[in-house]
Amino acid sequence: MQHRLIQTGLATLAATVLTLGMAACSSGSAEGSSAGSAISSERCEENKAAGTISYLSGYQFQSSASILEYIAASKLGYFDDLCLDVELKPGSGDTAQNTKLLASGQATVSAISQQDLIQAQANGIDIEGISSYSNAGLDILMTNPDITELTQLDGQVVGHKGYVPAAVQAMMVDAGVDWDSLTLVKEGYDPSVLPREQDGLAALTGFISNEPNQLKAAGDDVTVWQPVDYGIPSSLGAMAVNPAFAEAHPTAVQDVLRAALHAYDFCSSSDENAKQCVGYAAELSGGATYDTELNTTIWKTETQVAEDNPTPGQPFGGIDPENVSKLVDMLHQFSIVPPEVTAEEAAGWFDDSYIQAIYDGDELIWPAP
């Protein structure tokens, strides 16, 4: 699951955002280019006709993939360049709420993992998947270094944030762990409970870009187990759109993705650019309360995962239909969606035509035609 209330040590960030309310940040051209100067007048008018496009993040304005590049696209003026009026809204980390806001039209585009989109559709929530950066996900399992095989966890205590993510459970089961022998314990968001072996913990679920980085900074050594290494399906940086909006304004959907991917390239091209982009997120989040060092590490970790696990046969952001099929199988395995949901049906809930339209081979077309 994507950005499920990832705790980043920003103890007061949520309070700051609540103080701001759902304050929107309209895109502004920091680079000084005139609005719409990068595209044809015809396309500019089409995009203006889309009106205000509401982007809803997965979790606050954390510097994660699918969040930071949208902030940067706004601050760098890339949305303005394409005649797009985009407002940025911080999500609470409640993915189910995001899917409902998206389906109702209260949000236009939002960071929604492919698994969460399938679950939403299975529950009658109509949203459409439009991109994904990788078949790898953020969910991981951490163990202390004495665990060298997952089967050593048989009969042990495993901590989680409220539930064990399906991808982590699938990894453990496929590796031969006796699932019924485990004692599952809900823990808080302090990862130091693992090296301290609080509650007898032998393992703890987490997010690849968060807890391992916190523990490393604290000098604690843990082993990270990633579902992608076991062939378990997931997604990273996946985006979804309100279907009615997409049908009415296809060029706007294309160009929102185009601007975000252009910003992704900028923010990930150097340490200096990454720092600049994280600075934009810090400014949007209230400044002093934002842990820029940790958030820079989050961005670098997630973009590295995407680079290390490219989506096969797709340009960056393209949707892998085989991954969607595997996700349906995994969700069936753990009875998360009913058997009536087929891979063929789920494939219809994703549309990669928007991504395909903005690439020439593997090269992002910038600006728009």
Side-chain angles (χ1 to χ4, degrees):
M1 158 150 274
Q2 190 172 301
H3 313 303
R4 176 73 73 178
L5 202 58
I6 300 177
Q7 300 297 307
T8 65
L10 309 177
T12 59
L13 174 57
T16 301
V17 174
L18 285 173
T19 301
L20 294 173
M22 289 296 279
C25 175
S26 295
S27 59
S29 182
E31 295 186 329
S33 58
S34 60
S37 61
I39 59 175
S40 68
S41 58
E42 181 181 359
R43 193 177 187 95
C44 182
E45 289 305 313
E46 288 178 347
N47 285 349
K48 284 181 177 179
T52 300
I53 297 168
S54 176
Y55 161 85
L56 181 63
S57 77
Y59 175 61
Q60 310 295 358
F61 292 130
Q62 178 174 272
S63 296
S64 287
S66 76
I67 300 178
L68 188 62
E69 66 269 36
Y70 284 82
I71 295 172
S74 176
K75 295 291 187 177
L76 293 168
Y78 295 165
F79 290 135
D80 277 348
D81 287 343
L82 303 179
C83 295
L84 295 166
D85 178 15
V86 178
E87 62 176 4
L88 307 177
K89 293 184 178 181
S92 67
D94 183 347
T95 302
Q97 179 69 6
N98 278 26
T99 63
K100 293 173 184 176
L101 292 171
L102 197 57
S104 68
Q106 296 177 72
T108 313
V109 292
S110 185
I112 305 290
S113 76
Q114 293 183 326
Q115 175 184 320
D116 288 332
L117 187 145
I118 293 169
Q119 290 178 241
Q121 280 281 6
N123 289 318
I125 300 172
D126 187 21
I127 56 179
E128 183 174 68
I130 54 175
S131 70
S132 181
Y133 294 157
S134 175
N135 293 347
L138 298 178
D139 293 316
I140 56 160
L141 185 72
M142 298 171 291
T143 65
N144 287 317
D146 59 310
I147 300 293
T148 58
E149 298 288 341
L150 286 174
T151 50
Q152 291 176 255
L153 294 175
D154 286 355
Q156 302 277 8
V157 179
V158 176
H160 58 83
K161 306 293 191 296
Y163 65 97
V164 176
V168 172
Q169 184 177 358
M171 171 183 69
M172 296 172 73
V173 170
D174 286 4
V177 173
D178 182 356
W179 185 257
D180 292 334
S181 75
L182 302 177
T183 299
L184 303 179
V185 178
K186 183 178 179 179
E187 296 289 345
Y189 289 90
D190 176 9
S192 71
V193 295
L194 178 60
R196 290 189 282 111
E197 299 185 5
Q198 181 173 305
D199 300 324
L201 284 178
L204 180 68
T205 64
F207 304 93
I208 184 64
S209 56
N210 189 42
E211 290 89 349
N213 288 324
Q214 291 189 50
L215 290 171
K216 182 178 180 180
D220 292 316
D221 185 23
V222 296
T223 300
V224 175
W225 306 82
Q226 290 183 258
V228 67
D229 293 335
Y230 289 79
I232 305 301
S234 191
S235 65
L236 188 154
M239 295 296 298
V241 69
N242 174 276
F245 176 88
E247 183 176 1
H249 306 288
T251 64
V253 176
Q254 292 170 17
D255 288 347
V256 166
L257 292 172
R258 189 191 310 271
L261 288 166
H262 190 47
Y264 185 103
D265 288 342
F266 175 85
C267 297
S268 60
S269 62
S270 70
D271 289 346
E272 181 180 353
N273 287 1
K275 183 178 180 180
Q276 178 179 336
C277 293
V278 172
Y280 294 146
E283 178 185 347
L284 202 55
S285 301
T289 61
Y290 198 83
D291 189 335
T292 56
E293 182 176 354
L294 179 58
N295 273 273
T296 300
T297 303
I298 288 172
W299 172 252
K300 289 182 177 180
T301 300
E302 294 190 13
T303 55
Q304 189 63 54
V305 171
E307 182 178 341
D308 291 343
N309 300 276
T311 306
Q314 296 289 336
F316 190 69
I319 295 170
D320 178 9
E322 185 176 350
N323 191 61
V324 173
S325 179
K326 289 180 177 179
L327 281 167
V328 172
D329 289 342
M330 181 181 73
L331 295 173
H332 285 161
Q333 180 183 359
F334 300 112
S335 301
I336 296 173
V337 298
E340 296 78 36
V341 174
T342 65
E344 291 75 19
E345 182 181 21
W349 298 333
F350 297 86
D351 186 350
D352 72 346
S353 66
Y354 307 104
I355 283 289
Q356 300 302 329
I358 64 176
Y359 277 92
D360 180 5
D362 289 332
E363 292 295 321
L364 180 70
I365 301 169
W366 182 266

